[in-house]
Amino acid sequence: MSAKKRLLNIVFWSVVSAAFIGPGTITTAAKSGAAFGTELLWALLFSTLACLLLQEAAARLTIVSGKNLGQAIVQQFENNRAKIPILILVLGAIVVGAAAYEMGNLLGAVAGFRLILDLPAWILVLIIGAVAALILSIPSLKVISTIMGFAVVLMGLGFLIVAVLIKPEISAILKGTFVPRFPKSTEAGILVLGLIGTTIVPYNLFLGSGISSNKQSVGDMRFGLAVAILLGGLFSMAVLIVGTAVLSEFSFESLSLALQQKIGPAGQYLLGFGLFAAGFTSSVTAPLAAAITLKSLFGNKSPEKWEIGSTNFRLGWLAVLLIGIAFAAVNVKPIPAIILAQALNGFLLPFVSIFLFIVINNKNITGHQSNPLLLNLLMIVVIFVTLILGLNSATKAFISVFLPNSSPSNIVLWGIGIVAVLISVWVWMKGSKK
């Protein structure tokens, strides 16, 4: 592959980074930096590597089988009593998750724009939503992916430059990245789950699988995807480092003031542009991922009715876009809404990961190109960690509301996690015998 084709390949796969580097990443990572310095960088390192592992499996599934993730799940549970509940769970995880993200994407884009020019929020929401709809109307996934890829690279480089200009301590960065620590704080748990949920986005697995093609080679896909996701992880870490500049209660305004004190007036505009770009690119990718998921689940019998640009496909992304616009226009507070969306997706992630694990190991779907032993072991680790974190945060939230005088049992959480791992191993062994 020529250097030009390699570059275009990286830009194409950067749509995956565009989907996870949204206002949620900016908000959650920057708030983590403001609250705990560089102590939670390890969570971004883990989530970036886990994202690469799962995205590679989702894209490879399509290349080797000709079926995307949604189609593979439908085939896996065909003539099975669990088919309807599982499809409902997948739809809920993807469509609800995408709609929750869309609200945060639009609110984040508005917050970023208003750091540069103060206009009424509802007007900005409508303008951004209209421009996103125009881009989504382009009848080519490759064109949309390339546009979003270029935008996210420019945005990420901006944050990387700011992170260098504030002159962080290199030793603190290395320690936070490679020495995992879990501060004794409920907020730390929510932020760790949010950092994972904002990087390994459940609907992103359907997006990456949906834009893949059996005309691509696995090698080219792996190269482009690996570079794109590792750069995305680096950009996310840069955002967390930028957040360490805040010494007071975190908000976009306090971060803007801190950057102005560090690097001058340019800090406000760089933050505004970065936040706006992150929100805008993600406001395109979230509805796109939802439409691709709907197409993969319901387009098998009548594929012509779900082609890119068809009425059904347009209605799919339009529904998510309009839901996001509706909630964003009523002036919901952006930071709590964005972090809640990250935590919700972090909770849903292990269940989508389990479905991916099942289908990538089904030799009736992937033939003899299912997961090798090492990748299966790594996927099980990711499923276990995300399941424990998700259940831990969900349990704490439930207890704080309904049983305020109780505390969650870590034994129960670990037990559920171990059961999930045993089920995954059983499915893997069963699939390997076919």
Side-chain angles (χ1 to χ4, degrees), residues 132-208:
L134 286 175
I135 294 177
L136 286 164
S137 298
I138 298 173
S140 170
L141 287 177
K142 187 173 183 179
V143 172
I144 296 174
S145 299
T146 303
I147 292 173
M148 295 299 99
F150 273 116
V152 79
V153 168
L154 290 175
M155 178 266 296
L157 289 174
F159 277 108
L160 202 57
I161 291 170
V162 175
V164 172
L165 291 177
I166 65 173
K167 299 178 180 179
E169 293 185 14
I170 302 301
S171 59
I173 292 175
L174 293 174
K175 184 177 179 181
T177 302
F178 298 108
V179 182
R181 294 182 60 193
F182 213 114
K184 294 181 179 180
S185 166
T186 301
E187 183 183 28
I190 295 173
L191 287 173
V192 168
L193 183 62
L195 290 172
I196 294 173
T198 193
T199 306
I200 322 172
V201 186
Y203 69 70
N204 221 7
L205 297 174
F206 288 85
L207 175 62

Side-chain angles (χ1 to χ4, degrees), residues 129-417:
V131 176
L134 286 175
I135 294 177
L136 286 164
S137 298
I138 298 173
S140 170
L141 287 177
K142 187 173 183 179
V143 172
I144 296 174
S145 299
T146 303
I147 292 173
M148 295 299 99
F150 273 116
V152 79
V153 168
L154 290 175
M155 178 266 296
L157 289 174
F159 277 108
L160 202 57
I161 291 170
V162 175
V164 172
L165 291 177
I166 65 173
K167 299 178 180 179
E169 293 185 14
I170 302 301
S171 59
I173 292 175
L174 293 174
K175 184 177 179 181
T177 302
F178 298 108
V179 182
R181 294 182 60 193
F182 213 114
K184 294 181 179 180
S185 166
T186 301
E187 183 183 28
I190 295 173
L191 287 173
V192 168
L193 183 62
L195 290 172
I196 294 173
T198 193
T199 306
I200 322 172
V201 186
Y203 69 70
N204 221 7
L205 297 174
F206 288 85
L207 175 62
S209 180
I211 64 174
S212 301
S213 168
N214 54 11
K215 296 180 181 179
Q216 299 169 320
S217 73
V218 172
D220 290 346
M221 175 274 292
R222 282 175 170 164
F223 174 80
L225 188 64
V227 174
I229 290 179
L230 291 176
L231 280 177
L234 180 64
F235 296 155
S236 297
M237 290 181 174
V239 174
L240 187 147
I241 294 169
V242 169
T244 63
V246 178
L247 302 178
S248 58
E249 184 70 22
F250 177 81
S251 67
F252 295 135
E253 290 74 17
S254 64
L255 179 56
S256 175
L257 289 173
L259 291 180
Q260 290 179 65
Q261 292 172 358
K262 289 278 187 178
I263 64 176
Q268 175 182 353
Y269 298 104
L270 285 171
L271 175 63
F273 169 76
L275 188 55
F276 170 77
F280 177 71
T281 54
S282 294
S283 69
V284 173
T285 54
L288 179 63
I292 287 175
T293 302
L294 291 169
K295 174 188 175 184
S296 67
L297 294 177
F298 300 110
N300 293 331
K301 294 182 179 180
S302 303
E304 69 283 353
K305 294 182 179 180
W306 284 93
E307 288 297 322
I308 308 301
S310 67
T311 300
N312 287 348
F313 191 84
R314 287 173 183 260
L315 288 175
W317 60 253
L318 185 61
V320 171
L321 181 60
L322 289 177
I323 291 172
I325 290 173
F327 279 100
V330 298
N331 200 26
V332 177
K333 291 184 178 180
I335 291 177
I338 291 170
I339 291 179
L340 178 62
Q342 312 314 312
L344 171 65
N345 279 273
F347 176 70
L348 293 171
L349 170 65
F351 301 102
V352 178
S353 302
I354 289 171
F355 292 139
L356 174 59
F357 181 87
I358 291 172
V359 297
I360 197 66
N361 283 291
N362 186 338
K363 291 185 178 180
N364 291 328
I365 296 175
T366 59
H368 295 288
Q369 301 189 62
S370 56
N371 262 8
L373 175 62
L374 178 60
L375 291 183
N376 273 324
L377 293 175
L378 292 174
M379 284 187 73
I380 288 173
V381 170
V382 170
I383 291 170
F384 178 73
V385 172
T386 55
L387 188 61
I388 291 296
L389 288 172
L391 289 173
N392 185 49
S393 293
T395 303
K396 284 181 178 179
F398 178 86
I399 287 176
S400 66
V401 174
F402 299 104
L403 301 169
N405 297 321
S406 303
S407 59
S409 171
N410 290 328
I411 295 177
V412 173
L413 295 177
W414 279 85
I416 294 173

